[in-house]
Amino acid sequence: MSSAADFSYAPLLPTGPDQTEYRLITDEGVDVVNGPGGRRFLTVDPAALTALTAEAMHDIAHYLRPAHLAQLRSIIDDPAASPNDRFVALDLLRNANIAAGGVLPMCQDTGTAIVMGKRGRHVLTDGSDAEAISRGVWQAYTRLNLRYSQLAPLTMWEERNTGSNLPAQVELYAEDPDGHPDAYKFLFMAKGGGSANKSYLYQETKALLNPTRMMQFLEEKLRLIGTAACPPYHLAVVIGGTSAEYALKTAKYASAKYLDALPTSGSMTAHGFRDLELEAEVLELTRNFGIGAQFGGRYFCHDVRVVRLPRHGASCPVAIAVSCSADRQAVAKITPSGVWLERLETDPARYLPEVTEAQLDTTEVVRVDLNRPMDEIRAELSKYPVKTRLSLTGPLVVARDIAHAKIAERLDAGEPMPQYLRDHAVYYAGPAKTPEGYASGSFGPTTAGRMDAYVEKFQAAGGSMVMLAKGNRSAQVTRSCDQHGGFYLGSIGGPAARLAQDCIKHVEVLEYAELGMEAVWKIDVEDFPAFIVVDDKGNDFFAEVTKPVLTIGSR
């Protein structure tokens, strides 16, 4: 055994000074009192935690960071961006402008509420911090036009929606944030299912730790993320970790820009650091995928964060996470001066270009009348190749996971396919609450892949011949569309508020009203944007862009 090293300590994730611009929420509920030894203590009332949380969850449902909006605008201004890249970026900017009105949230999946806090040693509360924070989550989700997505397990097999979006994920640490004992600092996140489901853990070995193998590995794995989580992404890759769960948590924080102030080189104290050179290389790698901002182009990612962590010699976890086009997070702090929340952009219209959509886009748009019989709709779609951009007008049936499962049970019992799925295209989606005076709440597409197992059964029975959702599909869907003459159309993931305001004109329940947002709906749409992704000839746009093609030398 070699002699032991001298004791030295560094936090695993040492971050630099806080450069955030904050706005004051309130100065009520906080006070400074004298304590033993001449120390001064910050007291925080539970009501202050509740008020901060409710305000934070409101803001991240409706506003984005200025830097994120600037990145969307840069896509529009980039001559190397594809027409589809620019079209998606413009739609997301328009969506942000609508969401900033404070009525329609930017995404219909308003997410799981995640709150991480660091409480300094001179901060005193009554000990009910997690409960007070959860109450703030409850206030936001029950009072705003947000969606309830949390399911309570009643038995191993039976679940029921909690009707409040609780529980929240609340993690609190006893730690002086940024070295300040009289501060309480927070990260608030709303994580939708689409981006949460694109968190990955790979258990690798030392063999991965060379430039050639690493880039080959990342090309293979990053292509598999696909578009179901609504790119352009803020991508995070974490290499190493004292445990698998720590690697995953670090990737989530990095995707939220929470770790941007990490050191950029390592040391023998074994702290984590960012590798800026590898970040640039991985970003360029994603530019060449061809996936782009959902339907072909360069902008699969806005940016990349690569964090290197220490590891056990027998383990090399690699964690990958994304923050999607609904880039919903904000930091906050409580100090002796009051309760402060990160200042997000409340006027995103200033990022919109002055030019018109027609000037930005030279792509021909095919207008499809959904009022026609299904055979005529399919015959029209059959004329065009994958990647063709469409504008849909007419009726759609809306059904997702639970409705599909119930219809599958009916087919298994010998019942016929419901006529509404034979006559109409099916849109995989689930709306947020409908504000007064609106036809619909935020109503963007859900991840198509969750319905893949039903497609062949449904198409064989004459239903789901035209499907509309977001993201890539499995090979079994392509085979079924080839066999039965079906189509999968991709909708832009992200602009749920714009779709609700501009495209969805009427909404009514067709069946399973008791399922709430999981019911079968009929909606009437106008100029609803979509792209042909899988056609009736066995072609799949994503089949080509998900194949690794990289041959790379040393770094």
Side-chain angles (χ1 to χ4, degrees):
M1 295 285 291
S2 61
S3 60
D6 293 336
F7 174 80
S8 62
Y9 172 79
L12 276 174
L13 296 172
T15 55
D18 184 0
Q19 303 294 332
T20 306
E21 181 182 354
Y22 291 96
R23 65 183 183 91
L24 181 66
I25 302 300
T26 181
D27 57 6
E28 297 182 358
V30 296
D31 196 8
V32 176
V33 299
N34 294 318
R39 290 182 293 172
R40 303 276 285 173
F41 287 82
L42 174 67
T43 63
V44 179
D45 191 88
L49 294 172
T50 298
L52 173 60
T53 302
E55 189 76 4
M57 299 316 296
H58 166 275
D59 280 16
I60 63 177
H62 291 282
Y63 309 135
L64 291 159
R65 286 171 167 160
H68 176 87
L69 293 163
Q71 287 175 308
L72 286 172
R73 175 58 188 267
S74 71
I75 296 174
I76 296 172
D77 295 336
D78 183 0
S82 72
N84 284 348
D85 280 338
R86 291 194 290 272
F87 176 71
V88 170
L90 180 60
D91 221 34
L92 291 173
L93 280 174
R94 288 173 169 166
N95 187 71
N97 195 51
I98 293 168
V103 178
L104 293 166
M106 70 183 74
C107 180
Q108 81 287 343
D109 184 349
T110 49
T112 297
I114 300 172
V115 184
M116 187 272 285
K118 296 180 178 180
R119 190 175 79 182
R121 66 187 187 277
H122 289 176
V123 177
L124 303 178
T125 70
D126 71 353
S128 64
D129 299 27
E131 180 180 349
I133 290 167
S134 296
R135 182 176 292 276
V137 171
W138 174 83
Q139 286 183 0
Y141 278 83
T142 55
R143 296 175 182 177
L144 302 172
N145 298 310
L146 309 183
R147 197 175 84 185
Y148 308 142
S149 299
Q150 304 308 306
L151 303 178
L154 304 181
T155 69
M156 180 60 73
W157 321 119
E158 183 185 1
E159 299 174 309
R160 189 172 303 162
N161 195 298
T162 63
S164 64
N165 214 58
L166 292 178
Q169 179 179 321
V170 181
E171 301 178 3
L172 303 176
Y173 299 89
E175 176 183 330
D176 288 352
D178 303 325
H180 296 290
D182 59 349
Y184 204 162
K185 301 194 77 170
F186 301 89
L187 171 65
F188 292 94
M189 305 179 73
K191 198 72 174 173
S195 60
N197 293 345
K198 296 303 178 181
S199 299
Y200 295 99
L201 174 71
Y202 301 97
Q203 295 286 16
E204 297 298 315
T205 68
K206 168 68 175 174
L208 185 66
L209 299 181
N210 70 79
T212 300
R213 178 68 190 112
M214 178 63 73
M215 292 299 281
Q216 292 170 340
F217 169 87
L218 289 175
E219 186 193 23
E220 175 189 350
K221 303 306 183 187
L222 297 180
R223 285 179 181 270
L224 295 177
I225 294 173
T227 61
C230 308
Y233 298 128
H234 300 285
L235 170 68
V237 179
V238 174
I239 300 157
T242 49
S243 64
E245 63 271 23
Y246 194 82
L248 281 166
K249 185 174 294 189
T250 303
K252 178 181 289 186
Y253 293 160
S255 72
K257 307 295 184 71
Y258 186 72
L259 302 178
D260 276 9
L262 282 177
T264 55
S265 61
S267 75
M268 284 305 295
T269 57
H271 57 75
F273 65 89
R274 285 179 60 190
D275 187 325
L276 302 184
E277 183 180 350
L278 189 53
E279 289 178 1
E281 291 178 10
V282 175
L283 180 61
E284 186 59 29
L285 177 70
T286 67
R287 294 278 194 260
N288 295 318
F289 284 174
I291 300 173
Q294 305 189 31
F295 301 103
R298 286 171 47 81
Y299 282 93
F300 186 62
C301 295
H302 283 303
D303 47 44
V304 176
R305 298 294 181 267
V306 176
V307 177
R308 181 69 158 90
L309 293 178
R311 67 184 185 92
H312 185 286
S315 302
C316 186
V318 178
I320 296 172
V322 297
S323 183
C324 66
S325 58
D327 188 41
R328 293 174 295 194
Q329 52 263 326
V331 294
K333 63 182 180 180
I334 301 176
T335 69
S337 62
V339 180
W340 300 83
L341 179 61
E342 181 177 358
R343 185 181 299 278
L344 302 180
E345 179 57 73
T346 58
D347 183 25
R350 65 192 185 93
Y351 293 91
L352 284 166
E354 295 181 4
V355 297
T356 66
E357 180 179 327
Q359 291 172 302
L360 282 172
D361 188 13
T362 58
T363 302
E364 180 182 355
V365 180
V366 176
R367 303 194 177 278
V368 179
D369 182 3
L370 299 176
N371 291 289
R372 292 179 295 172
M374 179 55 65
D375 286 346
E376 292 185 19
I377 296 171
R378 291 161 59 199
E380 176 70 12
L381 294 174
S382 191
K383 298 176 184 178
Y384 303 99
V386 295
K387 284 181 65 176
T388 298
R389 186 173 140 204
L390 310 173
S391 177
L392 309 177
T393 297
L396 289 168
V397 167
V398 178
R400 48 182 268 160
D401 306 66
I402 297 177
H404 274 69
K406 287 183 173 292
I407 293 169
E409 290 173 359
R410 288 158 60 174
L411 295 178
D412 290 341
E415 298 180 34
M417 172 63 65
Q419 193 64 36
Y420 54 72
L421 278 184
R422 299 175 63 91
D423 292 342
H424 302 294
V426 58
Y427 178 39
Y428 303 157
K433 284 182 277 186
T434 301
E436 185 176 352
Y438 286 72
S440 165
S442 293
F443 211 152
T446 199
T447 302
R450 299 208 306 269
M451 268 55 73
D452 283 5
Y454 301 103
V455 172
E456 202 286 325
K457 180 193 291 285
F458 282 26
Q459 290 189 338
S464 294
M465 301 308 294
V466 177
M467 302 162 285
L468 176 66
K470 67 174 181 176
N472 45 301
R473 307 299 295 264
S474 63
Q476 70 188 90
V477 172
T478 303
R479 289 193 298 268
S480 182
C481 287
D482 185 23
Q483 179 181 353
H484 299 289
F487 294 85
Y488 166 55
L489 312 180
S491 177
I492 300 173
R498 196 193 77 76
L499 293 175
Q501 176 177 285
D502 299 340
C503 300
I504 299 175
K505 303 304 180 182
H506 178 73
V507 177
E508 62 181 280
V509 175
L510 286 181
E511 195 171 13
Y512 304 124
E514 70 278 8
L515 297 180
M517 69 92 176
E518 291 268 7
V520 176
W521 307 78
K522 182 181 179 183
I523 65 174
D524 292 317
V525 302
E526 184 177 298
D527 293 329
F528 193 107
F531 295 78
I532 299 176
V533 177
V534 176
D535 67 12
D536 58 346
K537 306 171 189 66
N539 298 307
D540 176 5
F541 161 65
F542 287 111
E544 289 303 314
V545 298
T546 54
K547 292 178 181 177
V549 296
L550 183 65
T551 302
I552 190 164
S554 61
R555 177 178 166 191

